[in-house]
Amino acid sequence: MPMSRISLLKGKSPEYIRALGDSLQRAMEESFNVPKNDRFQLVHQHEPYEMMFDRSYEGQRSDDFVLIAITIGKPRSTEMKQAFYRRLVALLAESPGLRPEDVMVVVSSSQGDDWSFGGGRPAA
C-alpha cells in the first residue's frame, strides 16, 4: 500500500488537483503493481516562499513543478520503477497537462511493521 505526498505551489483548481491524483493512481495501478482502490494521497499546496526548488536542475522547471514523494512497503525492481516514472509523466501530460520536466518523484521503501492500516494492528 503506497502512501503519496504531492507538493505543489498554491493556485490550482480542485479539478487540476483531482486530475493530478487520478493520473498518479492510474500510473501506480498500471505499472507499479498497486491494486485498484489502494489509494492514499495527501496534497500539500505551498506559498512560493514555502516551496523552494532549483528551476534548472535536470531541465527547466516552471511554477507548475510538482514533487511526488511515495512511501512503499513492498520493494519494487529498478525496471518497475523506471516503467512507473515513464508512465506517470505520460499520464500527467495528458491530464492535467503537466510537462514531464515539472515532475519530480522520490520513492522510499519501508518494512511491513512500519505500517498500521487501522485498529492499532501492525501490517502483516
Side-chain angles (χ1 to χ4, degrees):
M1 179 195 89
M3 195 275 296
S4 304
R5 295 180 184 271
I6 305 165
S7 296
L8 66 159
L9 292 174
K10 281 186 178 177
K12 299 298 185 191
S13 70
E15 295 79 20
Y16 184 97
I17 300 295
R18 180 53 133 181
L20 188 62
D22 288 349
S23 290
L24 172 59
Q25 183 65 24
R26 184 173 164 197
M28 288 198 296
E29 289 173 7
E30 291 179 4
S31 53
F32 219 46
N33 198 26
V34 171
K36 193 168 189 66
N37 300 322
D38 187 351
R39 182 174 181 159
F40 296 89
Q41 301 172 338
L42 300 170
V43 177
H44 305 277
Q45 295 188 67
H46 302 275
E47 296 290 345
Y49 63 87
E50 296 175 323
M51 188 168 169
M52 296 160 267
F53 56 92
D54 190 317
R55 291 180 178 268
S56 60
Y57 185 80
E58 298 288 325
Q60 294 298 313
R61 294 190 170 89
S62 73
D63 283 344
D64 290 333
F65 175 69
V66 174
L67 173 58
I68 301 172
I70 303 169
T71 303
I72 57 174
K74 175 175 69 171
R76 276 29 177 223
S77 69
T78 298
E79 294 78 17
M80 187 177 273
K81 289 177 191 173
Q82 290 172 346
F84 166 69
Y85 301 145
R86 287 189 301 271
R87 185 64 179 141
L88 176 61
V89 296
L91 288 171
L92 290 172
E94 289 175 20
S95 180
L98 195 54
R99 297 174 332 123
E101 296 83 7
D102 281 323
V103 180
M104 181 174 172
V105 181
V106 178
V107 176
S108 302
S109 298
S110 60
Q111 308 230 349
D113 63 355
D114 292 327
W115 298 76
S116 173
F117 301 131
R121 296 176 306 276

